[in-house]
Each structure stands twice: as C-alpha cells, then as structure tokens.
Amino acid sequence: MPGRDGGGAGDATGRAAREDGGGELRRTLGSRDLIVYGLLFIAPMAPVGIFGTLQAASHGAVTAVYAVATVAMGFTAYSYAQMVRVAPRAGSVYAYARAGLNESAGFVAGWMALLDYLLVPAVAYLFSGVALHAVVPSVHAWVWTALAVAVTTLLNLWGVRTAARVGFAVLAMEIVVLGVFVVSALVELLSHGARRGWAEPLTGAGGFAVGAVLSAVSVAVLSYLGFDAIASFAEEAAGRPADGGGADAGGGDRRDGGPERVARAVLTCLVVAGVLFAAQTYLAALLMPMSAAELAAHPAQQGNAFYATVDATLGRPLHGLVAASKAIGAAFAALAGQAAAGRLLFAMARDRRLPPGMAKVAAGSGVPRRALLGAALVTLVAAVGAARRDDGLALLSSIVSVGALTAFGLLHASVIGWFRFRVRERAGLPGVLRHVVAPSLGLAVVAAVLAEASVTAQLVGGGWLVVGAVVLVVQRRRGGQSGGGRAGGGAGRD
C-alpha cells in the first residue's frame, strides 16, 4: 500500500543515513534555490540551438510553437505539482508511480527517467566541451568535457546549498546575457524596423499552418526537459518534513511547506521558461535575415540560424557573448541534472531497486555521495565517449528524450491511479478535470511527441526498457519484489 511504501522508505532514509556517520538529506533549499535548479537544467537560452529548425518547420511561427509547447508541458508540470504532495520523496516520478500505480510501475518510471537524467547532463557537458574547444582549439573537446564533469561533480559533492549558490550566479549571468540580447534587439528594431511582419512569428509566413506548428511543438517540448528535476529535491526543500507515507500525504497536508514549495517551484519554472523562450524567439524571428522558406530549403544553416541572426544584425561581440554564455551555462545545466540523477539513484537504492550502497548519505555535506559519484561516472563515460566521435553530439541528442517522455507518461497515469482508484476521490466535476482530464491530455501530448521521435531514439529507449524489464524480473525471482516497508527497511539495514 502507498502508505506503508512511503513510511518504509522514509524510515530507511534515517537508518541508511545514520550508518554513514549521521548525515541525512537536509531541508535547506528555499523556493529560489529550487527554481534555480530547474532553470539551470533547462537553460534560459535553450531555444538557441533549435531556433532555425523550429522556424523552418513551423513556416515562420516559431513563437507560436513555444506558446503551444508551454501550454502542452503545463499538463506535465501540473501533474508533478499534484503528485509531489502525495509522495514528497527524492525519487520524483519513481516515487509517484509507486504511490499511484504499483511497485513495478515505479521501477519502470525510475528506470526510464534514469536514461534522461544520465544522458541529458552528458549532452550538456559535451556541448560545453565543444564550445570551449572552439575558443581554445589546442585543447581537445573531450578534455574540456572531462574537466567540466570534474568541476561540477565537486560542487555537487560539496553540498546542495553550495551548488545552488554557484548555480544562482551562473543563472544570473545567463539571464544578464539574455537581457543584453533583448535590449540590443529592441534598439535595432526601433532604429531600423523589423525584417518581416510584426505578427509573423505568431501567425507564420502566409498564414497559420496548424499541422506545421504542431509538428514543430513535438521538437520544442524537448527544450523544457529539466524543470521536472525540481521534484527530485522534495526531501531537501525547506519546510515541515512529510510525516509518513503517501496515504497521509495524499490528503495534501497544506501545513507541510516542503511539498507546497516544490509544487510552486515546478509551475513557476515552467512559466518563466515559457516567457523567456517566447521573448527571445520572437525578437530573433523579426531580425532574422533569412525567411522560413529559405531556412527550410537549406537545412545545414538551421542549426546556426540564431547565431547568424545575432552576428548579422547585432554584431560579432554579442554573438561571442551569447556563445560563451551557452558554453558555461551548459556545464551548469549538467550540474543540476547530475544532482537530480543522484537523488533518483539514491531513492531507488534506498528501496533496494539498485545496489543499496548508493543509499548512503554523507554526514558532512548531507548529499548522497555514492549516488552522485555513480551518476558522474556514467555521465563522464557517455560524454567523453561521444566527444571522441564526430557524430557524438547528434547521437546523444537523439536518444535523451525518450526516457523522460516515458516517465512523464507514467506520471500522468499515476495522477489518475492515485486520485481515482487509490483514494477514490469524490470531488465531482472539479476533481475529474484536475485528476482525469488534465493528466489524460498530458498523456496525449507525450504520446504525440514520442511518435515524432527518431527511429534511433525509439530503438534505444525500447532497448533500455527491455533491460529494465529484465532487471525487474530478476529482482522478483530473487525476492526483490516485496512490500514498500520491507524494501525500504532492507535498504536501511544493509
């Protein structure tokens, strides 16, 4: 039962922590810290790399694409906000699927989320390495990549508050650079006018093409991957700790500041990201020298379209500033991703779904040190390996989304499972809208985006799912499938 589930896991946290010198996950993160982690993982200028692709695919309606994508991802953010109150645990979607569905669904959700949390940081590290190699060509990209992994891992091991403070400084730098771009673009537009109609980024060139915009949305939603990482810090959010299992939490104890703080941070992060994405793509679309049709006819120029626009209209110095900001920001996006991956590994190890040694918490820093080092090692191998391949960045980028989207699907199913079947909520039409209609729409969005994923991504995601299913079967045969309380307690005693 969900109530016993949560209680066992919570008890195990304390036992595992005490074995490792008395440390435990500490409730030290405020709302600002949580939003910083989410925005760092997303990156305020995430659209830069895919701006040209979306502009071409949507027939010029790139800002409309991000407006629709923000609404679409809003369903996922809303489901996270609902479930973090039910199961305010470090495992995020892993804990939610356990509570709303069952143990096996929880494992699958956690397993698929690992694919995202381990590989998204690898992509970010690699991007940073490639960018720094362009600045200092004498140092190979894989060396810069490994250095970025080492620096951010040390910050994560130092403590969650220290990492949050450094992350805030980096995020502030990124937003300042974005602000410089916005002001420069507005000055250029007021001085020389727009290169196309002021409404074109919203309506498209020659009329609004619904099919083209929706197709582009399936790519744009990938810019938002990362805001969900906020939920993995539920056990470190300042406020009253959850007092037991999911059954108690399911009532939505409004006195518990931790879950409420996380829920608000998830929703705030998505809204802020949506506004930033819409603003920068709108201005870039008005300034872009090439039309959407020209971009569509020259695919090779799509990846550099944003930089080319800045270079041609706002000057080379701002181009370099944006590029440097993206390079530094990418490394610290990976810092947030690595921290989230460590919490997910910690939560699954605590329930004996992964080696229980990763459920230990460092006494001094209060972080899951072994889980963080495990995440760092996997990410380092993936990032450095990709850096040594000519097609490494494209290969990693093509597969990172499937794990997250599958986990999102199970998240939405968990909302329905918990409120309609576990606690049998009787809240009339408002309850149906909140806990059936909204997550069902979220499921539809996830299914549509998965259908648009590349064949490579689908094959890798499917293969990872098969491996996870094999692991789950082996655990069942070895007696690993036990009640929530026993699983949690076992992790603590080991």
Side-chain angles (χ1 to χ4, degrees):
M1 292 294 290
R4 291 194 300 271
D5 241 7
D11 294 341
T13 307
R15 285 192 292 271
R18 286 191 294 272
E19 282 189 356
D20 202 35
E24 60 183 9
L25 295 178
R26 298 170 183 168
R27 291 187 173 274
T28 58
L29 295 179
S31 297
R32 189 194 75 174
D33 300 317
L34 294 167
I35 294 170
V36 164
Y37 268 112
L39 288 177
L40 263 182
F41 202 171
I42 292 176
M45 298 188 75
V48 167
I50 58 173
F51 168 77
T53 301
L54 298 180
Q55 179 76 340
S58 65
H59 301 175
V62 64
T63 305
V65 168
Y66 273 107
V68 174
T70 301
V71 173
M73 292 307 295
F75 293 113
T76 297
Y78 185 74
S79 287
Y80 268 105
Q82 297 300 304
M83 292 305 293
V84 75
R85 298 180 178 105
V86 170
R89 304 295 178 198
S92 184
V93 68
Y94 160 70
Y96 307 156
R98 287 182 72 207
L101 300 172
N102 54 48
E103 290 276 346
S104 297
F107 175 82
V108 171
W111 184 261
M112 295 306 292
L114 276 176
L115 186 63
D116 168 45
Y117 283 179
L118 292 174
L119 291 188
V120 166
V123 171
Y125 283 130
L126 179 55
F127 184 90
S128 182
V130 170
L132 291 170
H133 171 63
V135 176
V136 187
S138 58
V139 180
H140 197 282
W142 74 264
V143 177
W144 287 118
T145 300
L147 181 62
V149 175
V151 170
T152 52
T153 300
L154 287 174
L155 283 171
N156 271 325
L157 292 174
W158 199 343
V160 67
R161 284 289 293 151
T162 300
R165 290 191 189 101
V166 175
F168 178 75
V170 173
L171 180 63
M173 178 272 296
E174 292 183 87
I175 292 177
V176 167
V177 171
L178 178 56
V180 171
F181 163 75
V182 169
V183 171
S184 300
L186 289 173
V187 170
E188 175 68 18
L189 289 169
L190 292 174
S191 300
H192 302 100
R195 303 203 175 197
R196 50 193 38 82
W198 291 91
E200 187 173 308
L202 295 169
T203 62
F208 191 79
V210 176
V213 168
L214 292 180
S215 176
V217 165
S218 69
V219 178
V221 296
L222 304 183
S223 298
Y224 297 84
L225 295 184
F227 77 92
D228 54 296
I230 294 172
S232 67
F233 296 97
E235 292 181 33
E236 293 159 277
R240 289 185 55 188
D243 58 351
D248 295 330
D253 184 359
R254 296 296 190 258
R255 297 171 302 169
D256 180 7
E260 289 299 320
R261 201 180 292 265
V262 173
R264 288 195 300 269
V266 168
L267 295 169
T268 301
C269 184
L270 180 69
V271 172
V272 171
V275 170
L276 295 178
F277 293 173
Q280 65 193 272
T281 55
Y282 179 75
L283 294 171
L286 292 177
L287 293 172
M288 190 175 67
M290 297 179 68
S291 68
E294 290 173 320
L295 267 182
H298 300 87
Q301 298 185 38
Q302 293 176 11
N304 198 44
F306 192 99
Y307 292 110
T309 297
V310 172
D311 198 16
T313 60
L314 303 179
R316 189 72 183 176
L318 185 56
H319 176 175
L321 187 62
V322 171
S325 172
K326 286 288 290 179
I328 297 170
F332 285 87
L335 174 143
Q338 184 194 88
R343 271 67 182 178
L344 178 55
L345 289 170
F346 163 79
M348 295 182 73
R350 182 171 62 187
D351 296 327
R352 299 187 66 84
R353 294 305 184 186
L354 292 175
M358 285 193 289
K360 308 297 183 184
V361 179
S365 60
V367 300
R369 183 170 54 201
R370 296 182 185 180
L372 281 170
L373 289 172
L377 179 61
V378 174
T379 301
L380 176 66
V381 171
V384 172
R388 298 177 68 86
R389 294 173 55 106
D390 292 336
D391 62 344
L393 186 57
L395 181 63
L396 275 182
S397 299
S398 69
I399 63 177
V400 296
S401 61
V402 172
L405 292 168
T406 305
F408 288 170
L410 287 167
L411 164 71
H412 293 304
S414 299
V415 175
I416 299 172
W418 176 264
F419 288 98
R420 304 307 295 178
F421 299 103
R422 292 278 184 153
V423 299
R424 299 186 181 277
E425 178 189 51
R426 302 187 186 282
L429 181 60
V432 172
L433 291 175
R434 288 195 306 267
H435 301 135
V436 176
V437 175
S440 295
L441 290 173
L443 269 172
V445 171
V446 168
V449 177
L450 280 173
E452 294 290 333
S454 68
V455 174
T456 299
Q458 291 174 346
L459 289 174
V460 172
W464 182 253
L465 179 60
V466 169
V467 172
V470 171
V471 172
L472 184 60
V473 169
V474 170
Q475 288 184 348
R476 281 177 177 271
R477 290 182 176 177
R478 292 181 177 178
Q481 178 71 16
S482 59
R486 291 192 301 276
R493 288 191 300 270
D494 187 79

